[in-house]
Amino acid sequence: MHIPVLLNEVIEYLEPKPGENFIDCTIGGGGHAIKILEKTSPSGRLLGIDWDHEMLERLSLKLKVENPKLLNRVILTRGSFANLEKIARENNFTEVDGILFDLGMSSWHLEKSGRGFSFKKDELLDMRYGMKKSQIPNPKSQSDLTAEEVVNTWSEYEIEKILKEYGEEKFAKRIARAIIDSRKTKPIKTTFQLVDIVKKAVPHKYQYKKIHPATKTFQALRIAVNDELENFKKTLPQAVKLLRPKGRLTVISFHSLEDRIVKDFFRKESKDCICPPEAPICTCGHKRTFKIITKKPITPSREEIVSNPRARSAKLRVAERINN
């Protein structure tokens, strides 16, 4: 079951009104998008973007069955939000009243996709978003890079680097070394193989902590395979161009790396000058484009975390486009 995170808070800060247009850059199961469409009735439109074929197919079917009237006001398109401006122009969504990013993984990806996202299921090490389940055995479908390729061909230094940077893994060096040693005798092809390697690499006491010892390794591999952080950095300036004055950009992030990107971007875009403090005069020519609405990130209530534990690390930040 798809449970949208921070749904009430997103609607509160986006403030959708009848006739307004929005872009959901990570539409997934459509929980946020459906609520936005209901609030913008009868003529508001929504552009829903997702990298995953199967997510869009599932959402389209869901709308046909449960909310057929909404289909006339929503455009579902497959693509990476790194190409947000191009996708928006192709679909005549060049001036919008709000843009949403929900950077969390869906439960469906972990439990049903069969692509090796979860350390709780024994599946092929793939971890690509932009593909169909039937294409998993073909490592060259859609995107050339898979998690299997990373663990079997990247150098020890490269693996350690992504574990440190993307997973913030305390034992990155030990895990990278263990991966290299293991692949010398047998290729690492499945999630359970990788889980076993990680468990043996970390100190014994960490195998019984609240967080599974392979959590950060799987996170790092997923981010690397899909180039998630670089794609996110690319899309934020594009979102600025598409928003009308008073239009709002809302971002739900789930780990510190994403949240830091949002925080730094909002801070930069809320200033007229971004020259170094020691510069005697401004030479950057930068003009502020945003007013920060949430001085501190909005987090889920205790009640939401109890009903949906995967929401526990979510942070919502919001900024408003100014007329500049």
Side-chain angles (χ1 to χ4, degrees):
M1 180 179 175
H2 174 66
I3 306 174
V5 173
L6 291 166
L7 176 60
N8 293 333
E9 291 82 354
V10 166
I11 298 303
E12 176 187 348
Y13 282 98
L14 270 182
E15 299 179 335
K17 300 177 182 64
E20 291 185 335
N21 298 328
F22 291 82
I23 300 177
D24 187 335
C25 297
T26 49
I27 195 165
H32 296 105
I34 290 171
K35 196 68 175 179
I36 291 169
L37 284 165
E38 290 172 353
K39 294 286 185 179
T40 58
S41 177
S43 58
R45 299 186 304 141
L46 183 137
L47 173 63
I49 303 169
D50 205 285
W51 205 351
D52 196 308
H53 294 277
E54 292 184 74
M55 291 298 289
L56 291 173
E57 289 169 2
R58 289 165 59 82
L59 178 56
S60 179
L61 180 61
K62 176 183 176 180
L63 289 172
K64 285 177 184 177
V65 173
E66 299 178 9
N67 299 278
K69 291 182 179 179
L70 298 184
L71 278 172
N72 296 325
R73 297 192 288 116
V74 64
I75 297 173
L76 300 178
T77 183
R78 182 195 170 271
S80 168
F81 57 52
N83 303 313
L84 173 59
E85 191 174 5
K86 178 176 180 289
I87 294 170
R89 292 190 183 283
E90 289 173 348
N91 291 280
N92 196 28
F93 267 77
T94 53
E95 291 187 15
V96 296
D97 300 284
I99 297 175
L100 169 65
F101 290 89
D102 177 355
L103 303 177
M105 282 195 72
S106 70
S107 300
W108 180 84
H109 274 116
L110 290 167
E111 297 165 6
K112 302 290 185 181
S113 71
R115 301 179 201 169
F117 288 111
S118 174
F119 45 75
K120 295 181 180 179
K121 291 175 172 287
D122 196 16
E123 299 171 341
L124 292 174
L125 273 172
D126 191 276
M127 297 195 189
R128 289 172 292 175
Y129 283 133
M131 60 173 307
K132 293 184 177 180
K133 187 175 180 179
S134 60
Q135 296 169 318
I136 289 174
N138 179 5
K140 296 299 179 183
S141 298
Q142 301 289 330
S143 168
D144 286 342
L145 186 63
T146 65
E148 180 185 341
E149 183 176 346
V150 173
V151 297
N152 285 291
T153 67
W154 283 22
S155 70
E156 182 177 345
Y157 168 78
E158 290 171 318
I159 294 172
E160 181 185 346
K161 187 171 186 285
I162 65 166
L163 293 180
K164 278 183 179 176
E165 292 185 7
Y166 298 161
E168 299 177 298
E169 173 56 66
K170 183 178 181 180
F171 303 106
K173 190 174 189 66
R174 295 173 66 154
I175 295 170
R177 179 73 257 164
I179 288 171
I180 299 301
D181 289 341
S182 180
R183 77 190 193 190
K184 288 177 182 176
T185 57
K186 184 181 180 181
I188 304 165
K189 291 185 172 292
T190 69
T191 53
F192 278 8
Q193 276 183 275
L194 182 58
V195 168
D196 189 51
I197 292 166
V198 173
K199 281 185 173 180
K200 290 176 180 176
V202 304
H204 187 69
K205 66 179 181 179
Y206 284 90
Q207 297 186 28
Y208 304 98
K209 295 284 186 178
K210 189 174 182 180
I211 297 176
H212 191 283
T215 300
K216 294 180 178 181
T217 296
F218 273 65
Q219 173 184 298
L221 286 170
R222 190 200 76 230
I223 291 173
V225 166
N226 297 288
D227 205 12
E228 291 180 27
L229 298 183
E230 289 306 310
N231 284 339
F232 186 48
K233 289 176 185 176
K234 289 176 186 175
T235 194
L236 289 172
Q238 299 175 55
V240 176
K241 297 178 184 178
L242 298 172
L243 283 168
R244 291 188 176 113
K246 293 192 178 299
R248 290 190 170 182
L249 175 58
T250 58
V251 182
I252 303 173
S253 62
F254 286 81
H255 57 75
S256 60
L257 298 172
E258 296 167 340
D259 185 57
R260 197 176 306 138
I261 292 170
V262 184
K263 181 181 178 180
D264 291 347
F265 182 78
F266 281 2
R267 185 183 293 159
K268 170 177 169 262
E269 291 303 317
S270 65
K271 296 177 181 178
D272 271 332
C273 174
I274 55 174
C275 291
E278 63 272 15
I281 60 170
C282 175
T283 57
C284 68
H286 185 266
K287 297 294 181 184
R288 74 187 190 108
T289 57
F290 274 141
K291 174 177 72 174
I292 296 174
I293 301 299
T294 52
K295 302 301 180 185
K296 293 184 178 180
I298 307 301
T299 55
S301 65
R302 185 185 299 270
E303 291 75 17
E304 180 171 5
I305 293 172
V306 169
S307 63
N308 181 18
R310 285 182 179 151
R312 65 186 179 275
S313 58
K315 291 182 178 180
L316 172 68
R317 292 187 186 269
V318 184
E320 183 176 283
R321 186 76 159 90
I322 63 172
N323 190 5
N324 189 336

Short mmCIF file of all heavy atoms in Angstrom, two decimals, residues 263-294:
data_model
loop_
_atom_site.label_atom_id
_atom_site.label_comp_id
_atom_site.label_asym_id
_atom_site.label_seq_id
_atom_site.Cartn_x
_atom_site.Cartn_y
_atom_site.Cartn_z
N LYS A 263 19.21 22.52 1.45
CA LYS A 263 19.49 23.62 2.37
C LYS A 263 20.45 24.63 1.75
O LYS A 263 20.23 25.85 1.79
CB LYS A 263 20.06 23.05 3.67
CG LYS A 263 20.37 24.09 4.74
CD LYS A 263 20.95 23.40 5.97
CE LYS A 263 21.32 24.41 7.04
NZ LYS A 263 21.89 23.74 8.24
N ASP A 264 21.55 24.13 1.17
CA ASP A 264 22.55 25.01 0.57
C ASP A 264 21.99 25.76 -0.64
O ASP A 264 22.28 26.95 -0.84
CB ASP A 264 23.79 24.21 0.17
CG ASP A 264 24.57 23.69 1.36
OD1 ASP A 264 24.31 24.15 2.49
OD2 ASP A 264 25.45 22.82 1.17
N PHE A 265 21.18 25.05 -1.44
CA PHE A 265 20.61 25.69 -2.62
C PHE A 265 19.63 26.80 -2.23
O PHE A 265 19.68 27.90 -2.78
CB PHE A 265 19.89 24.65 -3.49
CG PHE A 265 19.30 25.22 -4.76
CD1 PHE A 265 20.10 25.51 -5.85
CD2 PHE A 265 17.94 25.49 -4.83
CE1 PHE A 265 19.56 26.06 -7.00
CE2 PHE A 265 17.39 26.02 -5.98
CZ PHE A 265 18.20 26.30 -7.07
N PHE A 266 18.76 26.52 -1.28
CA PHE A 266 17.80 27.53 -0.82
C PHE A 266 18.53 28.74 -0.22
O PHE A 266 18.16 29.89 -0.46
CB PHE A 266 16.86 26.94 0.22
CG PHE A 266 15.75 26.09 -0.36
CD1 PHE A 266 15.65 25.87 -1.72
CD2 PHE A 266 14.79 25.51 0.47
CE1 PHE A 266 14.63 25.09 -2.26
CE2 PHE A 266 13.76 24.74 -0.06
CZ PHE A 266 13.69 24.52 -1.42
N ARG A 267 19.56 28.46 0.56
CA ARG A 267 20.32 29.55 1.18
C ARG A 267 20.97 30.43 0.10
O ARG A 267 20.93 31.66 0.18
CB ARG A 267 21.38 28.96 2.10
CG ARG A 267 22.16 30.01 2.90
CD ARG A 267 23.23 29.33 3.74
NE ARG A 267 22.65 28.51 4.79
CZ ARG A 267 23.29 27.52 5.40
NH1 ARG A 267 24.52 27.21 5.04
NH2 ARG A 267 22.70 26.85 6.37
N LYS A 268 21.58 29.81 -0.90
CA LYS A 268 22.23 30.55 -1.98
C LYS A 268 21.22 31.38 -2.76
O LYS A 268 21.45 32.56 -3.07
CB LYS A 268 22.94 29.56 -2.91
CG LYS A 268 23.46 30.17 -4.21
CD LYS A 268 24.21 29.13 -5.01
CE LYS A 268 24.49 29.62 -6.42
NZ LYS A 268 23.55 29.16 -7.42
N GLU A 269 20.07 30.77 -3.09
CA GLU A 269 19.09 31.45 -3.92
C GLU A 269 18.26 32.48 -3.14
O GLU A 269 17.45 33.19 -3.73
CB GLU A 269 18.16 30.43 -4.58
CG GLU A 269 18.84 29.58 -5.64
CD GLU A 269 19.47 30.41 -6.75
OE1 GLU A 269 18.83 31.38 -7.20
OE2 GLU A 269 20.61 30.12 -7.15
N SER A 270 18.46 32.57 -1.84
CA SER A 270 17.76 33.59 -1.06
C SER A 270 18.64 34.82 -0.81
O SER A 270 18.25 35.72 -0.08
CB SER A 270 17.31 33.01 0.29
OG SER A 270 18.43 32.65 1.08
N LYS A 271 19.83 34.84 -1.46
CA LYS A 271 20.76 35.97 -1.30
C LYS A 271 20.96 36.70 -2.62
O LYS A 271 20.96 36.10 -3.68
CB LYS A 271 22.12 35.47 -0.81
CG LYS A 271 22.10 34.83 0.57
CD LYS A 271 23.49 34.32 0.92
CE LYS A 271 23.52 33.67 2.29
NZ LYS A 271 24.86 33.12 2.62
N ASP A 272 21.17 38.03 -2.52
CA ASP A 272 21.47 38.81 -3.71
C ASP A 272 22.93 38.67 -4.13
O ASP A 272 23.25 38.78 -5.30
CB ASP A 272 21.15 40.29 -3.48
CG ASP A 272 19.71 40.63 -3.84
OD1 ASP A 272 19.16 39.94 -4.72
OD2 ASP A 272 19.15 41.54 -3.24
N CYS A 273 23.79 38.45 -3.19
CA CYS A 273 25.22 38.34 -3.49
C CYS A 273 25.78 37.07 -2.87
O CYS A 273 25.52 36.78 -1.70
CB CYS A 273 25.98 39.55 -2.96
SG CYS A 273 27.77 39.42 -3.14
N ILE A 274 26.53 36.32 -3.67
CA ILE A 274 27.14 35.10 -3.16
C ILE A 274 28.67 35.16 -3.27
O ILE A 274 29.35 34.14 -3.30
CB ILE A 274 26.60 33.85 -3.90
CG1 ILE A 274 26.77 33.99 -5.42
CG2 ILE A 274 25.15 33.60 -3.53
CD1 ILE A 274 26.39 32.73 -6.19
N CYS A 275 29.20 36.39 -3.33
CA CYS A 275 30.65 36.57 -3.34
C CYS A 275 31.23 36.16 -1.98
O CYS A 275 30.52 36.20 -0.97
CB CYS A 275 31.01 38.04 -3.60
SG CYS A 275 30.64 38.60 -5.27
N PRO A 276 32.50 35.78 -1.93
CA PRO A 276 33.14 35.49 -0.64
C PRO A 276 33.05 36.70 0.29
O PRO A 276 33.09 37.84 -0.17
CB PRO A 276 34.60 35.20 -1.03
CG PRO A 276 34.55 34.83 -2.47
CD PRO A 276 33.42 35.60 -3.07
N PRO A 277 32.92 36.46 1.59
CA PRO A 277 32.79 37.57 2.55
C PRO A 277 33.92 38.59 2.48
O PRO A 277 33.72 39.78 2.75
CB PRO A 277 32.77 36.86 3.91
CG PRO A 277 32.34 35.47 3.62
CD PRO A 277 32.86 35.15 2.25
N GLU A 278 35.10 38.13 2.09
CA GLU A 278 36.25 39.04 2.06
C GLU A 278 36.29 39.93 0.82
O GLU A 278 37.12 40.85 0.72
CB GLU A 278 37.56 38.24 2.16
CG GLU A 278 37.83 37.28 1.02
CD GLU A 278 37.22 35.90 1.26
OE1 GLU A 278 36.37 35.76 2.16
OE2 GLU A 278 37.61 34.96 0.53
N ALA A 279 35.39 39.66 -0.17
CA ALA A 279 35.40 40.47 -1.40
C ALA A 279 34.98 41.90 -1.09
O ALA A 279 33.94 42.13 -0.45
CB ALA A 279 34.46 39.86 -2.43
N PRO A 280 35.75 42.92 -1.55
CA PRO A 280 35.42 44.32 -1.24
C PRO A 280 34.14 44.80 -1.91
O PRO A 280 33.41 45.61 -1.35
CB PRO A 280 36.64 45.09 -1.75
CG PRO A 280 37.26 44.19 -2.77
CD PRO A 280 37.00 42.79 -2.31
N ILE A 281 33.88 44.31 -3.14
CA ILE A 281 32.64 44.66 -3.84
C ILE A 281 32.07 43.41 -4.49
O ILE A 281 32.78 42.43 -4.71
CB ILE A 281 32.88 45.75 -4.92
CG1 ILE A 281 33.90 45.24 -5.96
CG2 ILE A 281 33.32 47.06 -4.32
CD1 ILE A 281 34.01 46.14 -7.18
N CYS A 282 30.78 43.47 -4.81
CA CYS A 282 30.11 42.32 -5.44
C CYS A 282 30.49 42.23 -6.91
O CYS A 282 30.35 43.21 -7.65
CB CYS A 282 28.59 42.45 -5.30
SG CYS A 282 27.68 41.14 -6.16
N THR A 283 30.95 41.08 -7.32
CA THR A 283 31.27 40.84 -8.73
C THR A 283 30.49 39.67 -9.31
O THR A 283 30.62 39.37 -10.49
CB THR A 283 32.78 40.56 -8.89
OG1 THR A 283 33.13 39.42 -8.08
CG2 THR A 283 33.61 41.76 -8.49
N CYS A 284 29.68 39.01 -8.47
CA CYS A 284 28.99 37.80 -8.95
C CYS A 284 27.74 38.11 -9.77
O CYS A 284 27.34 37.33 -10.63
CB CYS A 284 28.61 36.90 -7.76
SG CYS A 284 27.34 37.60 -6.69
N GLY A 285 27.10 39.25 -9.49
CA GLY A 285 25.89 39.62 -10.23
C GLY A 285 24.69 38.75 -9.91
O GLY A 285 23.68 38.79 -10.61
N HIS A 286 24.79 37.97 -8.85
CA HIS A 286 23.69 37.06 -8.50
C HIS A 286 22.52 37.83 -7.90
O HIS A 286 22.69 38.73 -7.09
CB HIS A 286 24.18 36.02 -7.50
CG HIS A 286 23.17 34.97 -7.17
ND1 HIS A 286 22.33 35.05 -6.09
CD2 HIS A 286 22.86 33.81 -7.79
CE1 HIS A 286 21.55 33.99 -6.05
NE2 HIS A 286 21.85 33.21 -7.07
N LYS A 287 21.31 37.48 -8.33
CA LYS A 287 20.08 38.06 -7.78
C LYS A 287 19.27 36.96 -7.12
O LYS A 287 19.10 35.88 -7.69
CB LYS A 287 19.25 38.72 -8.88
CG LYS A 287 19.95 39.90 -9.55
CD LYS A 287 20.15 41.04 -8.59
CE LYS A 287 20.82 42.23 -9.27
NZ LYS A 287 21.11 43.32 -8.30
N ARG A 288 18.75 37.23 -5.95
CA ARG A 288 18.01 36.20 -5.23
C ARG A 288 16.72 35.85 -5.96
O ARG A 288 16.07 36.71 -6.57
CB ARG A 288 17.74 36.61 -3.79
CG ARG A 288 16.66 37.66 -3.56
CD ARG A 288 16.66 38.06 -2.09
NE ARG A 288 15.49 38.87 -1.78
CZ ARG A 288 14.45 38.45 -1.05
NH1 ARG A 288 14.44 37.22 -0.58
NH2 ARG A 288 13.43 39.25 -0.80
N THR A 289 16.37 34.57 -5.90
CA THR A 289 15.17 34.08 -6.58
C THR A 289 14.15 33.50 -5.61
O THR A 289 12.99 33.31 -5.98
CB THR A 289 15.54 32.99 -7.60
OG1 THR A 289 16.23 31.93 -6.92
CG2 THR A 289 16.43 33.55 -8.70
N PHE A 290 14.57 33.21 -4.38
CA PHE A 290 13.69 32.53 -3.43
C PHE A 290 13.61 33.24 -2.09
O PHE A 290 14.55 33.90 -1.65
CB PHE A 290 14.21 31.11 -3.15
CG PHE A 290 13.75 30.07 -4.12
CD1 PHE A 290 14.61 29.07 -4.54
CD2 PHE A 290 12.46 30.05 -4.61
CE1 PHE A 290 14.21 28.08 -5.41
CE2 PHE A 290 12.03 29.08 -5.49
CZ PHE A 290 12.91 28.08 -5.88
N LYS A 291 12.45 33.07 -1.48
CA LYS A 291 12.27 33.39 -0.06
C LYS A 291 12.08 32.05 0.65
O LYS A 291 11.21 31.25 0.26
CB LYS A 291 11.04 34.27 0.15
CG LYS A 291 10.70 34.53 1.61
CD LYS A 291 9.52 35.48 1.74
CE LYS A 291 8.21 34.83 1.34
NZ LYS A 291 7.03 35.68 1.61
N ILE A 292 12.89 31.80 1.67
CA ILE A 292 12.78 30.53 2.39
C ILE A 292 11.56 30.56 3.30
O ILE A 292 11.39 31.47 4.11
CB ILE A 292 14.06 30.26 3.21
CG1 ILE A 292 15.27 30.10 2.28
CG2 ILE A 292 13.89 29.01 4.07
CD1 ILE A 292 16.60 29.97 3.00
N ILE A 293 10.70 29.56 3.16
CA ILE A 293 9.46 29.49 3.94
C ILE A 293 9.67 28.69 5.22
O ILE A 293 9.15 29.05 6.28
CB ILE A 293 8.33 28.86 3.10
CG1 ILE A 293 8.09 29.68 1.83
CG2 ILE A 293 7.04 28.75 3.93
CD1 ILE A 293 7.67 31.12 2.07
N THR A 294 10.42 27.62 5.13
CA THR A 294 10.67 26.78 6.31
C THR A 294 12.09 27.04 6.81
O THR A 294 13.06 26.55 6.22
CB THR A 294 10.52 25.29 5.96
OG1 THR A 294 11.32 25.01 4.80
CG2 THR A 294 9.07 24.96 5.65
#
